Amino acid sequence: MAGSTSADVVVVGSGVAGSLVAYRLARAGASVILLEAGPRLARWQIVDNFRRAADKRDLCAPYPLLPHAPRPEPMNPGAYLIDRGETPYRPQYLRLVGGTTWHWAGAAWRLLPADFRVRALYGVGRDWPFAYETLEPWYGQAEAELGVAGPNLDLGSPRSTPYPMDALPLSWMDRRVADVLGAQSFRVVPEPMARNSRPYDARPACCGNNNCMPVCPIGALYHAATHADKAERAGATLIAQAVAYRIEANDRGEIAAIHCKDPNGQSTRVTGRRFVIAANGIETPRLLLMSTSARFPKGIANGSDQVGRNLMDHPGTSVSFLANEALWPGRGPVEMSSIVDFRDGPFRAQQAAKKLHLSNAAPTLAVTWNLLAKGLTGGELDRQIRERCARTLTFGSFHEQLPSGANRVTLSAQKDALGLPRPEIAYGIDDYTRRGAADTRAQFARIAGFFGGTELEYDDTLGASSHIMGTAIMGRDPRDSVVDAECRAHGHPNLFIAGSAVMPAGGSVNCTLTIAALSLRLAGTIEASLK
Ligand SMILES: Cc1cc2nc3c(=O)[nH]c(=O)nc-3n(C[C@H](O)[C@H](O)[C@H](O)COP(=O)(O)OP(=O)(O)OC[C@H]3O[C@@H](n4cnc5c(N)ncnc54)[C@H](O)[C@@H]3O)c2cc1C
Ligand code: SF4
């Protein structure tokens, strides 16, 4: 393992959370070591892997799958994460320099002020220990760092700065859907997205080729290797293929070192003054739980027994149907419009909030598979592919989920190639979320009706949206939370957690802009503490 093994700040994980923290602190003059379990890949290698991938439906196929840094395999669900709950939980994430934003969709939403106060307003879930206004300036900085293009509209989250870029032009389908549903009193808005609408931060403007998932070939879509690179240029040392497996604490709870292994199992001890765990909502609790000792028999930061608990996502449903007109999804980025009527309201006392969104992913692959399965060939196959691809409309949904101690990540007795316990997951979906989803199905039926929809196909599985929240939950009381309002681990004054694991409530929008805002705020806290 090359390079220094001691620094002011040691960061575990080079996704958007870890890379932003590393960059900001290195820029401020701190010495920083960024430990990343996976390898470093150039964009061209990922694009080449995608072109060679046998099954283009697998979004993870172009990315490394290495024995020392295993990750979920969408086509082989039990291969890494072990389900033992009533509902399977099958999120995706990547392990390489830059993390999971290599293949995200780029939707860059702020939470609503009400999302921070669901207990106070609606009597459900947990409140954040601070108000929206505390995070607002950091949301603005996060939008500037990632490069967010957004509409000049009130989306319900007050802002003190404009979006750094104008929204991208909408496709014909998006405009037509906004017109049709707008006439029926739905509020359809262009989605804020971390995707360039003009050249920004040395990356080009989006050219609309619809390949965002699994990889944007030209880098118009933000990905966190951008900030891993910037961190290195600012002086940080990035050590790839370094799998953190133990956090070492002294008897007072101060963290002394992170221990990590290279792919051959060779261990290195990395010391520092401040430590940041930014390994995502599953790998972060896994590392905390693995770090047991005589003084901390339940693992690090786990005095409350809350590490790994309160696992939340935005359980999703969808509907696809054939519209009675050609709308041609697939022109532009994979997603551009959302329906925001159901993000907040008194109904949240009884049922989950939700965001509905219009998919703009080209349906060609799914349509073609279906037609081939029906035995179509030749000219009729060609005709039906064209006809159905033009008329297929797909709407998805994200539902609010409340924290529950029973939904949790624990350590399995089964080990990975480095001999580390695999994550085991117990997960269920409560009636609050199910009631919200039942209403979503009714809304989907209405929407399909406005387009003369036929051949409706619902997916009501409430599947994972890969927004992995809550597993190192934030709160004022050390007895029922893992980190305080500064993202500092209770009982460990020099240990911080960056990422969605700390979120006590996740509203109904994608969580990554909130991760970025929290990470920038956290970097500010550490910078001040180092002075
Ligand atoms: C298909 C898909 C689409 C998505 N679309 C959106 C979207 O449109 N909008 C949105 O807001 N969110 C979206 N998300 C979610 C988003 O990708 C995540 O919220 C975000 O990437 C999380 O960032 P992170 O830095 O916390 O974690 P990650 O990006 O997962 O990074 C964690 C890093 O830590 C490393 N690591 C893990 N364990 C260790 C260890 N022990 N030692 C060293 N390093 C370690 C990993 O290798 C990884 O590089 C999507 C996710 C998926 C899968
Ligand atoms: S539409 Fe194409 S250029 Fe634009 S972000 Fe997606 S993949 Fe990149």
Side-chain angles (χ1 to χ4, degrees):
M1 215 169 269
S4 166
T5 51
S6 187
D8 291 330
V9 186
V10 180
V11 181
V12 176
S14 70
V16 60
S19 289
L20 278 174
V21 172
Y23 164 59
R24 277 293 174 100
L25 289 170
R27 197 183 70 173
S31 61
V32 177
I33 291 178
L34 181 53
L35 299 170
E36 167 53 50
R40 192 195 301 255
L41 259 72
R43 182 178 304 278
W44 70 263
Q45 292 172 296
I46 299 167
V47 174
D48 198 44
N49 290 346
F50 168 65
R51 292 172 67 171
R52 291 167 195 268
D55 190 342
K56 302 276 189 285
R57 292 171 300 179
D58 180 358
L59 295 183
C60 296
Y63 294 95
L65 176 57
L66 299 166
H68 71 275
R71 55 153 173 83
E73 298 176 47
M75 300 307 195
N76 189 8
Y80 178 51
L81 303 182
I82 299 170
D83 276 315
R84 65 169 180 83
E86 64 189 47
T87 309
Y89 183 60
R90 309 240 160 104
Q92 296 178 28
Y93 56 84
L94 301 176
R95 292 179 92 180
L96 74 162
V97 172
T100 309
T101 49
W102 271 108
H103 79 354
W104 70 326
W109 290 89
R110 295 178 175 208
L111 292 173
L112 298 171
D115 295 331
F116 289 73
R117 304 184 59 226
V118 282
R119 165 69 49 187
L121 291 172
Y122 308 119
V124 297
R126 292 198 194 197
D127 286 346
W128 287 64
F130 52 77
Y132 171 85
E133 289 69 24
T134 303
L135 208 54
E136 196 285 328
W138 301 102
Y139 269 131
Q141 291 197 34
E143 286 162 349
E145 287 292 353
L146 271 56
V148 176
N152 188 15
L153 290 173
D154 178 3
L155 297 178
S157 308
R159 26 186 331 114
S160 56
T161 46
Y163 282 111
M165 285 175 275
D166 292 338
L168 279 151
L170 292 174
S171 71
W172 164 253
M173 175 193 72
D174 285 87
R175 281 184 284 148
R176 180 83 183 116
V177 166
D179 285 349
V180 171
L181 296 187
Q184 304 294 334
S185 303
F186 282 97
R187 183 152 192 248
V188 186
V189 299
E191 189 155 70
M193 48 180 92
R195 182 181 274 110
N196 288 355
S197 61
R198 61 175 169 81
Y200 186 89
D201 200 21
R203 295 182 289 112
C206 168
C207 62
N209 56 33
N210 203 249
N211 206 70
C212 327
M213 298 186 298
V215 61
C216 173
I218 63 170
L221 177 64
Y222 172 79
H223 70 111
T226 303
H227 280 101
D229 291 348
K230 286 188 182 191
E232 282 187 297
R233 288 202 296 276
T237 302
L238 192 157
I239 307 179
Q241 315 241 60
V243 182
Y245 69 94
R246 186 160 83 88
I247 305 168
E248 178 191 324
N250 66 22
D251 282 350
R252 290 187 307 277
E254 291 153 353
I255 305 305
I258 301 280
H259 294 252
C260 54
K261 291 189 184 190
D262 71 12
N264 300 317
Q266 191 77 32
S267 188
T268 299
R269 182 171 180 267
V270 183
T271 57
R273 296 167 64 198
R274 304 285 181 276
F275 296 84
V276 180
I277 311 301
N280 81 32
I282 289 178
E283 298 297 331
T284 288
R286 179 184 182 221
L287 177 56
L288 295 171
L289 292 171
M290 283 194 292
S291 302
T292 53
S293 62
R295 171 74 179 82
F296 299 103
K298 290 190 290 181
I300 290 294
N302 201 18
S304 61
D305 192 32
Q306 293 294 298
V307 170
R309 295 186 186 272
N310 306 303
L311 171 64
M312 294 176 279
D313 199 316
H314 292 124
T317 63
S318 66
V319 66
S320 284
F321 56 86
L322 286 183
N324 59 5
E325 61 182 302
L327 291 155
W328 291 109
R331 295 173 176 190
V334 288
E335 187 178 304
M336 300 190 78
S337 300
S338 285
I339 299 170
V340 292
D341 304 83
F342 314 105
R343 285 187 65 196
D344 190 32
F347 68 86
R348 288 175 86 177
Q350 271 80 43
Q351 61 174 255
K354 62 212 174 201
K355 175 174 78 80
L356 312 186
H357 37 263
L358 170 62
S359 170
N360 189 35
T364 326
L365 203 56
V367 164
T368 307
W369 275 101
N370 284 342
L371 293 174
L372 286 173
K374 285 181 188 160
L376 268 72
T377 54
E380 183 57 13
L381 174 66
D382 190 48
R383 191 191 69 73
Q384 287 217 30
I385 290 174
R386 285 169 190 278
E387 161 85 8
R388 284 172 175 268
C389 286
R391 288 173 48 204
T392 296
L393 270 189
T394 301
F395 290 84
S397 66
F398 292 150
H399 295 90
E400 180 181 22
Q401 188 169 24
L402 303 177
S404 154
N407 284 356
R408 64 188 297 203
V409 179
T410 53
L411 301 180
S412 169
Q414 296 184 43
K415 304 283 168 57
D416 70 13
L418 286 180
L420 308 176
R422 287 165 54 188
E424 196 166 88
I425 297 184
Y427 183 74
I429 293 171
D430 67 10
D431 289 343
Y432 180 80
T433 298
R434 290 188 186 281
R435 281 193 291 273
D439 177 70
T440 302
R441 190 178 167 119
Q443 302 297 345
F444 281 162
R446 283 181 68 210
I447 289 169
F450 300 135
F451 290 93
T454 54
E455 300 187 31
L456 274 68
E457 281 185 25
Y458 291 99
D459 178 350
D460 291 327
T461 47
L462 288 164
S465 298
S466 303
H467 305 155
I468 312 162
M469 299 174 286
T471 49
I473 203 159
M474 181 194 291
R476 287 198 188 91
D477 187 344
R479 289 168 305 179
D480 71 358
S481 58
V482 178
V483 299
D484 66 14
E486 307 292 330
C487 297
R488 188 190 305 259
H490 294 303
H492 303 284
N494 62 343
L495 177 67
F496 298 82
I497 295 181
S500 47
V502 304
M503 290 171 66
S508 54
V509 291
N510 325 53
C511 60
T512 305
L513 191 73
T514 302
I515 294 176
L518 286 167
S519 301
L520 293 171
R521 180 169 174 266
L522 167 56
T525 304
I526 295 178
E527 185 185 340
S529 81
L530 286 172
K531 283 178 187 152

